[in-house]
Amino acid sequence: SQQGEEDPQALSIQEGENATMNCSYKTSINNLQWYRQNSGRGLVHLILIRSNEREKHSGRLRVTLDTSKKSSSLLITASRAADTASYFCATGTASKLTFGTGTRLQVTL
Amino acid sequence: IAGITQAPTSQILAAGRRMTLRCTQDMRHNAMYWYRQDLGLGLRLIHYSNTAGTTGKGEVPDGYSVSRANTDDFPLTLASAVPSQTSVYFCASSTGPGISGYNEQFFGPGTRLTVL
């Protein structure tokens, strides 16, 4: 069963624009993680934000976490064609890491 | 090698046949996992292992078995494949403790399995 639900399911933007993806979840978490999956490849970890953190940055990535609303967002700034991929949020608890169904991002030239 | 390798890359299998998907990691991670990824359903955990010698059932374990004889290898076996097991299978690993969601997971490239 999915803990995280991403929104939107698909997003198409032009190169240079910003892309925002959202993740909502239902129960208390220790952390929330974001992963990227290029077509035909395995998932790659992007960033982990702990439940006591509100914002985290890594290069062109900015992640926010609002535990009161049980939601997180991933912002990719100045997108590139190479950012085209599926993005998954995953909620981490003491017993497991549960993945959502993903947002498919298409960045066009 | 660095990371996780999986074999085969893809396989077409007749229903009823036995199949073992191989997974090897060289990061000395304690925890390992097998997921299946199906369109619209995301990743679902099949089996996991906290450490060598121990295994446990995930969300969708029926029809699959695993073993963990050593730290590096975590094979997944389909004893008698059925068409509903057509999927992309990913092996992953993470540092301890156990299989908690406290740490990032590292994924292999996947095995695309088709059961006819």
Side-chain angles (χ1 to χ4, degrees):
Chain A
S1 60
Q2 274 73 45
Q3 158 78 303
E5 295 288 338
E6 290 94 339
D7 172 65
Q9 290 186 335
L11 179 62
S12 183
I13 60 174
Q14 290 192 318
E15 199 172 48
E17 295 180 336
N18 295 341
T20 300
M21 288 159 269
N22 302 296
C23 174
S24 59
Y25 58 93
K26 298 174 183 175
T27 63
S28 296
I29 61 173
N30 171 274
N31 67 76
L32 191 139
Q33 302 178 30
W34 286 91
Y35 289 78
R36 184 188 74 234
Q37 183 180 33
N38 291 91
S39 181
R41 303 288 185 90
L43 278 71
V44 175
H45 183 263
L46 295 176
I47 198 165
L48 181 154
I49 185 167
R50 302 202 183 280
S51 60
N52 61 353
E53 298 176 308
R54 292 296 167 259
E55 188 171 312
K56 206 161 183 180
H57 296 256
S58 176
R60 293 185 295 112
L61 305 181
R62 173 179 169 253
V63 169
T64 62
L65 179 64
D66 186 335
T67 53
S68 67
K69 295 181 179 178
K70 291 186 169 59
S71 68
S72 173
S73 67
L74 170 67
L75 169 68
I76 304 174
T77 60
S79 63
R80 306 166 181 168
D83 294 327
T84 294
S86 292
Y87 292 82
F88 294 85
C89 68
T91 51
T93 66
S95 60
K96 60 184 176 180
L97 187 66
T98 305
F99 291 84
T101 53
T103 292
R104 183 186 298 272
L105 173 65
Q106 176 76 44
V107 182
T108 57
L109 296 172
Chain B
I1 58 173
I4 297 181
T5 58
Q6 292 185 237
T9 302
S10 65
Q11 182 75 44
I12 299 174
L13 190 66
R17 296 297 294 269
R18 180 184 178 89
M19 175 74 190
T20 295
L21 308 184
R22 300 185 298 279
C23 173
T24 299
Q25 55 110 351
D26 66 353
M27 298 175 284
R28 308 303 293 173
H29 286 169
N30 285 323
M32 297 189 74
Y33 315 81
W34 274 105
Y35 294 91
R36 59 177 291 173
Q37 185 177 34
D38 303 288
L39 196 63
L41 296 177
L43 274 80
R44 292 182 292 169
L45 182 65
I46 304 171
H47 283 288
Y48 63 88
S49 170
N50 287 327
T51 187
T54 69
T55 62
K57 295 181 179 180
E59 183 184 353
V60 287
D62 294 343
Y64 306 95
S65 63
V66 292
S67 62
R68 186 89 183 275
N70 57 60
T71 298
D72 298 345
D73 301 299
F74 190 44
L76 175 74
T77 297
L78 289 67
S80 179
V82 295
S84 62
Q85 292 177 311
T86 292
S87 186
V88 182
Y89 291 86
F90 289 100
C91 180
S93 70
S94 68
T95 57
I99 64 154
S100 76
Y102 292 160
N103 304 297
E104 67 178 280
Q105 292 186 10
F106 297 81
F107 283 79
T111 293
R112 184 176 296 275
L113 182 67
T114 302
V115 182
L116 301 175

